[in-house]
Amino acid sequence: MISKSTKGLLVGMLALGLLVSPAASPAFAQSSSASLQAQIQALLAQVAALQAQLGVSAGASFTRDLTIGSTGADVTRLQQFLIARGHSIPAGATGYFGAQTRAAVAAFQAANGIAPAAGYFGPLTRAKVNGMIVVTPGTPGTPSTPNDDDDELEGGAGSVDSYELLGSLNSEEVGEDDEDVEVAGLEIEVDDGSDIELTAVRLVFDEGTADEDFEDYASEVSLWLDGEEVGRVDAEDFNDDNDWTATVSLDDGAIIRRGDIGELTVGISAQGNIDSADIGDTWTVDFRQIRFMDADGATVSEDPSTAARTFSFESFATAADVELTIREDDDEINDARTLEVDATNDMDDVEVLSFTMEAEGDSDITIDSLPITVTSTEGTGNDPDDLISALHLIVDGEEIASETLSTADADNSSEVVVFDDLEWTIEEGETAEVMVTADLYSIADTLDAGDTISFAFGETETNLATFDAEDESGENLGNADVTGSASSGAFDLRAAGIMVTFVSASETVTANDNAADNDVGTFRITFNVQAFGSDVYLARSADATTASTITASTGSAGHLYLVEDSGTATTDDLTDIVTEIGDASEASSNNFLLEEDEETELTITVVQTNDSAEDDGLYRVLLKAVAWATTDTTTWNLYDFDLEDFKTDPVNLN
């Protein structure tokens, strides 16, 4: 372990240029002391160890942009560099640029005044990091000297065989604040006579639908050869005075070897805040002239004679394909059902709405406020705040906000409850599981048995001004960027009632002597009923209905079922019977008595007898309502929640 004092001394010597290779220092060269050489070797070993701790490699600068999904040795070195400077990457130096690395880059940018601190390792950040890297001196007798062999051109006279536009770059979108978005490219095929070095490229931009100066859209124009940056100029170099035309001189070393094909691309960096009226405007770019030098030193300038490519400037959200998707999640929570409330005590944290939110595209999404619509059928005043006192927002199992319903506003059947000041971020590609819970009043308060309440978060809510979601550039998501919805059924609030679950359904056909028009169909639907809050009575009778939807909450016909004959409801030639297996007993009125917290199975058997040709058809039976009451009566409450699966398969009767 190197001491703090030694670290300080070494870093200071490195910064001042005092620690150099002995071969580069006359004093070192003249010394023949073995002891001195040993000390030098030990000191150089300490330098190497210190550099390892600082997370940099000898002479290793960064030469390319890095972002989510990048891999390689340079990613590992960047991670080591960031960790050494206190920017946490919990997974360590893995060589994969993920969300943790992006967060560490953003922290480094913020600490070093680089804006925006978005976590993208682009030219500005790369230059800053490269300026902070310490280069290891050479070992004694082997001074560090640059190797320029890669910059030498081999061959004689050379030329370009062909220029072809890259088919993969066309109609590209450059988002606000995006850096170096490739919008056009050339495949340059060099003949076998000589390597060539590209020295300059003349570009011509032209307005498509744009009516503002190029610099109002773009901040920089860059050129890249096979993924390496070889030139960069300010966008203002392309201006109205030169008809948006300028020649970009390229860095030394932009070489394409003889017989090879190089890819030369144009990158555009956009302004961070393009005027909203200019979003969607198009430009074209044309490679008007390519200048290169061959191994004989001859310079050639020629027009590639390729077509212009069109590109557009878009909002950050559009270019990054940002989309916030809402999907319903847990059906057991969202489906209409009876919610048990207490006669005298409030009930807290009752789960009433479940959904997921996914950040699709290439951006995190930050949600600052989120509205939920609450709708009730409370009898007096129709106001949700008579039924619930507060809502809670749970994200991935942790409560992040709660809101109390106002009792001061006007009585309305619907009320919008807004969770605000959330500062909740969903990282790109991630999905958040969201739950809304409610604190319910008791029957002794303002809630009445039989009141219903429902909850919704969807297009109506995300179109409200109270919904605030932004992409990582700080732009609000537009209506088209938010899709999907989630809503609950209408929950029936009761201190006493029944819970109903499906058990089975079956259907059989009895044919008499294979003659026509005399089949008998037998249909059975079995379901479990549990009593809560009180003893309940269940009807022993059943009746066919032709109503596809039950509109009344009470009735006197007992359990209701619907028989479909080739899709049309019928009551013709039907008989039925209700049987029970379970904890229920027979009441004095011949109903079933089910004690509180007990459960039983009821089976409704329906028989359809075909006695004429007009009865021929495809038959099935659907359960529409379960009849129950808290007194021994023939006027029933009708339980009609979430019974869509309580049905038989269709069978043919003739």
Side-chain angles (χ1 to χ4, degrees), residues 402-653:
S402 64
E403 293 292 335
T404 301
L405 272 70
S406 171
T407 58
D409 56 1
D411 287 343
N412 293 297
S413 60
S414 291
E415 182 173 335
V416 177
V417 179
V418 181
F419 297 104
D420 56 12
D421 297 326
L422 299 177
E423 297 183 0
W424 157 37
T425 298
I426 306 175
E427 295 186 354
E428 65 174 89
E430 296 297 319
T431 299
E433 296 183 353
V434 185
M435 180 83 69
V436 177
T437 65
D439 296 343
L440 300 173
Y441 285 121
S442 68
I443 297 292
D445 293 313
T446 51
L447 185 152
D448 299 318
D451 289 343
T452 66
I453 195 163
S454 59
F455 303 83
F457 174 61
E459 183 175 352
T460 298
E461 289 71 32
T462 57
N463 286 343
L464 297 174
T466 50
F467 177 67
D468 186 359
E470 300 176 348
D471 59 39
E472 62 187 33
S473 75
E475 291 293 319
N476 288 325
L477 300 190
N479 292 340
D481 302 323
V482 186
T483 61
S485 63
S487 60
S488 74
F491 302 131
D492 185 38
L493 306 178
R494 295 184 182 274
I498 61 172
M499 302 291 185
V500 179
T501 54
F502 178 74
V503 175
S504 65
S506 64
E507 57 288 323
T508 58
V509 177
T510 302
N512 294 327
D513 301 326
N514 293 321
D517 310 323
N518 61 2
D519 289 350
V520 175
T522 302
F523 306 86
R524 294 181 177 86
I525 299 176
T526 301
F527 50 93
N528 182 277
V529 182
Q530 183 176 17
F532 68 85
S534 169
D535 296 348
V536 300
Y537 294 85
L538 303 174
R540 186 183 288 272
S541 60
D543 195 22
T545 179
T546 58
S548 59
T549 302
I550 305 302
T551 57
S553 60
T554 59
S556 58
H559 311 297
L560 298 179
Y561 62 88
L562 184 146
V563 177
E564 285 184 350
D565 174 2
S566 302
T568 302
T570 181
T571 59
D572 187 35
D573 301 322
L574 301 176
T575 60
D576 57 64
I577 186 173
V578 179
T579 55
E580 179 272 339
I581 300 176
D583 296 333
S585 59
E586 186 173 337
S588 58
S589 61
N590 205 34
N591 295 319
F592 298 116
L593 171 60
L594 187 61
E595 294 182 359
E596 180 179 359
D597 296 329
E598 298 294 333
E599 57 185 79
T600 191
E601 279 189 5
L602 297 185
T603 298
I604 298 177
T605 302
V606 179
V607 177
Q608 204 286 335
T609 302
N610 188 341
D611 57 9
S612 64
E614 66 181 16
D615 290 339
D616 293 352
L618 199 63
Y619 285 81
R620 68 171 181 168
V621 176
L622 303 87
L623 181 64
K624 303 301 292 184
V626 178
W628 68 279
T630 56
T631 59
D632 196 2
T633 181
T634 57
T635 300
W636 304 103
N637 299 309
L638 298 179
Y639 181 104
D640 62 345
F641 306 110
D642 196 28
L643 300 180
E644 290 83 2
D645 295 331
F646 292 54
K647 59 188 176 185
T648 68
D649 290 333
V651 294
N652 191 53
L653 301 180

Side-chain angles (χ1 to χ4, degrees), residues 256-292:
I256 306 174
R257 299 300 178 185
R258 53 186 174 181
D260 286 348
I261 298 175
E263 289 188 358
L264 179 68
T265 58
V266 178
I268 303 295
S269 296
Q271 296 287 358
N273 189 19
I274 300 174
D275 191 288
S276 59
D278 299 332
I279 293 296
D281 285 354
T282 61
W283 285 79
T284 64
V285 60
D286 183 20
F287 293 93
R288 189 60 56 86
Q289 191 178 66
I290 303 293
R291 185 185 305 156
F292 63 87

Side-chain angles (χ1 to χ4, degrees), residues 46 78 101 125 210 253 307 318 355 390 459 508 602 643:
Q46 287 184 326
L78 175 60
T101 304
T125 310
T318 299
F355 57 95
E459 183 175 352
T508 58
L602 297 185
L643 300 180

Side-chain angles (χ1 to χ4, degrees), residues 78-103:
L78 175 60
Q79 291 167 330
Q80 292 171 338
F81 177 88
L82 294 167
I83 292 170
R85 279 153 182 80
H87 302 297
S88 174
I89 303 177
T94 63
Y96 173 77
F97 195 120
Q100 294 178 3
T101 304
R102 181 180 59 189

Side-chain angles (χ1 to χ4, degrees), residues 22-33:
S25 169
F28 285 161
Q30 294 170 9
S31 175
S32 60
S33 169

